[in-house]
């Protein structure tokens, strides 16, 4: 186990493994997303209070979960790169940022499209929405930092520091609805009690969430390969790829 | 330290400081908004500000909604089951506005102790179920747990 | 046909529901295409570089 970990921490081995894995992950993600979409738009019943508008949950909640998950991956990869100087970890952090930013933007935008008809407002400055907006700023700040520093190792180090500082925001986002009075409701699924959502509505949500996760896995592998090709463009293994 | 390295270091320091300051400012602004709304009980206890606008949150009391047939004016009573406040509002109500629904209204207290709202938002809870299940629960006399407003006595 | 109309209407929330799904699909698809194209162009660039070196 540890041995294979060492093996695939080497960029050239990782590159080959990633090329083999990506089509399977992408295919599985596409199947799950299509199945989830059918469940979300067709098979799930409307909500007793919110009617059909409730279906926005199936894109809003997986996006929001992924916005947190990807950030934790980014920060963990950043620390790994900082401490053990693993190039693949640096690539993982750098490749995760644009995907995480996209999920965060989607969570905010779909939430807005849901908030207007149900709450009566596109946006409110409550603790949940504000902390999620700060998460978007953290992603954008990370991406800007990577763009501003030409030297990749320096950029990775600075990015890791920023990511770790921003990690404090993750529990704040999750618990904001419990710690403070917010317009946003409390957690439906990620809580200690049984989920407060009917099983017929829960299943498509879980399928979508898994689809989003596999989408991220496939997408981040492609982006990591690009990062590694650019970072290692003068190394022997990259030169060999060209010939 | 050579000039190129020094320049990079300065960029990093400025960026980290910038993000830090932005976060600190956001959190400061946030601090005033952390308590997004006051409950009727807090208002009865005099905790809500009297000189500026604030938000009130509670459940719409069944049978308390009075609509003016000539205009959009509406008044209703908000309760947290312990205290209640009469709210006056003129404007479009959200689709989820109904008796028993959680509501957050922005406005200020009038001299007579009623709340003059300039904006009314609906606060729903985290329960999702098909209409048939909700009906079956109601028929069985089991109340649907409404936890949009947790009571902290 | 009526059921398709109802489906698109989404109980009056069509604009919001389809807006949310359309935006999500657009961003997820765009987000997947960009790095795929970038990898292709990087590999092309690499091939061109090694051809130039080994060429006449």
């Amino acid at each position: 186990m540890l041995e294979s970990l060492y093996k695939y921490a080497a960029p050239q081995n990782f590159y080959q493994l990633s090329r083999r894995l990506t089509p399977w992950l992408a295919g599985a993600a596409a199947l799950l997303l299509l199945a989830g979409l059918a469940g979300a738009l067709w098979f799930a019943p409307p909500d007793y209070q919110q009617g059909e508008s409730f279906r926005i949950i199936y894109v809003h909640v997986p996006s929001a979960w992924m916005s947190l998950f990807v950030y934790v991956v980014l920060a963990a990869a950043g620390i790994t790169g900082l401490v053990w100087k693993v190039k693949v970890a640096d690539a993982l952090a750098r490749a995760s940022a644009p995907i995480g930013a996209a999920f965060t933007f989607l969570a905010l935008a779909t939430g807005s499209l849901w908030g207007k008809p149900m709450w009566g407002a596109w946006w409110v400055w409550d603790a949940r929405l504000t902390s999620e907006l700060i998460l978007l700023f953290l992603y954008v700040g990370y991406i800007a930092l990577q763009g501003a520093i030409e030297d990749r190792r320096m950029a990775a180090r600075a990015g890791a520091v920023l990511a770790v500082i921003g990690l404090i925001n993750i529990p704040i986002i999750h618990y904001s609805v419990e710690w403070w009075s917010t317009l946003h409701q409390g957690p439906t699924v990620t809580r200690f009690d049984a989920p407060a959502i009917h099983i017929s509505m829960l299943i498509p949500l879980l399928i979508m969430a898994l689809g989003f996760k596999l989408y991220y896995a496939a997408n981040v592998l492609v982006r990591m390969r690009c990062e590694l090709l650019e970072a290692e463009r003068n190394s022997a293994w990259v030169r060999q790829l060209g010939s | 330290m050579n000039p190129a390295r020094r320049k990079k270091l300065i960029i990093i320091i400025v960026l980290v400081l910038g993000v830090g300051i932005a976060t600190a400012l956001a959190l400061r602004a946030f601090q005033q908004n952390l308590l997004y709304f006051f409950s009727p009980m807090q208002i009865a206890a005099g905790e809500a500000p009297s000189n500026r606008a604030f938000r009130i949150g509670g459940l719409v009391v069944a049978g308390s909604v009075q609509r003016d047939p000539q205009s959009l004016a509406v008044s209703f009573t908000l309760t947290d089951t312990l205290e209640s406040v009469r709210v006056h509002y003129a404007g479009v109500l959200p689709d989820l506005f109904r008796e028993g629904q959680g509501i957050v209204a922005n406005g200020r207290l009038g001299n007579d102790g009623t709340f003059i709202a300039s904006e009314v938002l609906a606060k729903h809870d985290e329960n999702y179920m098909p209409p048939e299940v909700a009906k079956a629960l109601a028929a069985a006399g089991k109340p649907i747990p409404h936890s949009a407003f947790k009571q902290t006595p | 046909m009526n059921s398709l109309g109802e489906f698109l209407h989404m109980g009056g929330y069509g604009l919001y529901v389809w807006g949310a799904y359309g935006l999500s699909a657009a961003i997820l698809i765009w987000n997947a295409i960009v790095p795929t194209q970038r990898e292709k162009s990087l590999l092309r660039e690499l091939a061109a570089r090694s051809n130039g070196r080994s060429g006449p």
Side-chain angles (χ1 to χ4, degrees):
Chain A
M1 174 68 201
L2 214 59
E3 241 168 68
S4 69
L5 203 67
Y6 277 127
K7 185 182 169 201
Y8 290 114
Q12 62 270 42
N13 296 335
F14 178 84
Y15 186 91
Q16 297 305 340
L17 176 71
S18 141
R19 288 214 73 138
R20 282 202 301 278
L21 280 178
T22 305
W24 295 101
L25 287 169
L31 283 179
L32 279 167
L33 288 175
L34 284 177
L37 218 50
L41 289 168
W42 192 254
F43 293 108
D47 180 56
Y48 76 117
Q49 289 277 353
Q50 306 189 31
E52 307 286 346
S53 76
F54 134 90
R55 298 186 190 282
I56 296 176
I57 200 175
Y58 296 108
V59 283
H60 174 69
V61 166
S63 302
W65 283 345
M66 288 309 291
S67 73
L68 304 184
F69 176 81
V70 173
Y71 193 88
V72 174
V73 171
L74 190 160
I79 296 169
T80 308
L82 197 66
V83 176
W84 290 285
K85 309 219 176 348
V86 185
K87 284 175 187 166
V88 172
D90 285 344
L92 174 59
R94 205 174 151 113
S96 291
I99 317 174
F103 283 136
T104 312
F105 173 77
L106 270 184
L108 290 168
T110 55
S112 192
L113 283 165
W114 196 2
K116 183 58 186 171
M118 286 302 108
W119 294 349
W122 296 103
W123 181 265
V124 294
W125 289 100
D126 82 347
R128 169 54 72 81
L129 278 69
T130 309
S131 54
E132 182 77 8
L133 184 65
I134 290 174
L135 182 67
L136 182 64
F137 292 160
L138 281 169
Y139 277 120
V140 172
Y142 181 93
I143 294 167
L145 198 60
Q146 300 303 302
I149 305 171
E150 246 174 78
D151 183 271
R152 281 175 170 262
R153 309 223 50 165
M154 288 280 271
R157 263 179 257 170
V161 172
L162 172 66
V164 170
I165 295 170
L167 213 46
I168 181 70
N169 194 33
I170 299 299
I172 292 180
I173 294 174
H174 181 78
Y175 289 108
S176 56
V177 289
E178 291 174 15
W179 289 343
W180 303 297
S181 68
T182 54
L183 189 62
H184 196 288
Q185 72 284 4
T188 295
V189 181
T190 52
R191 57 186 210 164
F192 287 118
D193 303 337
I197 179 169
H198 193 262
I199 186 79
S200 61
M201 301 162 148
L202 177 62
I203 288 169
L205 184 60
L206 296 179
I207 294 174
M208 282 298 256
L210 192 60
F212 270 56
K213 200 153 271 182
L214 289 178
Y215 168 91
Y216 163 67
N219 197 231
V220 84
L221 285 180
V222 181
R223 286 176 185 273
M224 284 173 77
R225 290 205 299 274
C226 294
E227 296 299 337
L228 289 173
L229 286 178
E230 283 182 348
E232 305 264 290
R233 54 182 297 120
N234 291 320
S235 67
W237 72 272
V238 174
R239 284 174 179 279
Q240 252 173 11
L241 276 179
S243 52
Chain B
M1 190 181 278
N2 66 42
R5 275 192 84 112
R6 189 194 215 94
K7 198 179 146 210
K8 279 167 198 161
L9 198 69
I10 290 170
I11 292 176
I12 293 165
I13 291 170
V14 167
L15 263 165
V16 169
L17 270 180
V19 169
I21 291 168
T23 312
L25 284 176
L27 283 176
R28 240 186 88 81
F30 202 37
Q31 202 70 38
Q32 295 158 1
N33 259 320
L34 278 185
L35 197 73
Y36 193 69
F37 54 80
F38 292 86
S39 67
M41 197 177 71
Q42 286 171 307
I43 292 167
E47 288 173 32
S50 55
N51 53 349
R52 63 175 178 88
F54 65 95
R55 293 186 193 85
I56 176 177
L59 301 172
V60 178
V61 175
S64 75
V65 182
Q66 283 179 348
R67 290 170 199 267
D68 178 356
Q70 309 298 323
S71 68
L72 284 171
V74 60
S75 67
F76 50 89
T77 305
L78 275 189
T79 183
D80 55 9
T81 67
L82 299 169
E83 295 284 344
S84 56
V85 171
R86 191 79 185 160
V87 178
H88 296 279
Y89 175 65
V92 181
L93 290 165
D95 290 5
L96 269 185
F97 183 90
R98 56 193 72 160
E99 291 176 353
Q101 177 65 44
I103 288 293
V104 172
N106 191 7
R108 46 178 78 226
L109 275 178
N111 291 328
D112 57 350
T114 62
F115 189 85
I116 317 298
S118 55
E119 183 185 32
V120 170
L121 302 175
K123 176 174 165 65
H124 61 81
D125 64 12
E126 66 272 26
N127 298 305
Y128 301 97
M129 64 183 90
E132 309 83 64
V133 175
K135 258 184 223 146
L137 277 179
K142 287 183 196 152
I144 296 159
H146 194 299
S147 42
F149 295 92
K150 273 181 230 146
Q151 286 320 309
T152 42
Chain C
M1 207 55 216
N2 189 30
S3 99
L4 179 69
E6 268 172 31
F7 182 61
L8 293 177
H9 188 60
M10 280 287 163
Y13 298 116
L15 220 58
Y16 300 104
V17 173
W18 293 113
Y21 279 83
L23 187 70
S24 305
I27 286 184
L28 291 187
I29 290 169
W30 176 73
N31 209 26
I33 289 174
V34 168
T36 314
Q37 294 302 321
R38 190 172 143 215
E39 190 188 23
K40 273 186 195 149
S41 88
L42 277 171
L43 288 173
R44 261 202 306 275
E45 201 182 298
L46 271 176
R49 194 173 65 166
S50 71
N51 281 345
R53 195 186 44 200
S54 59

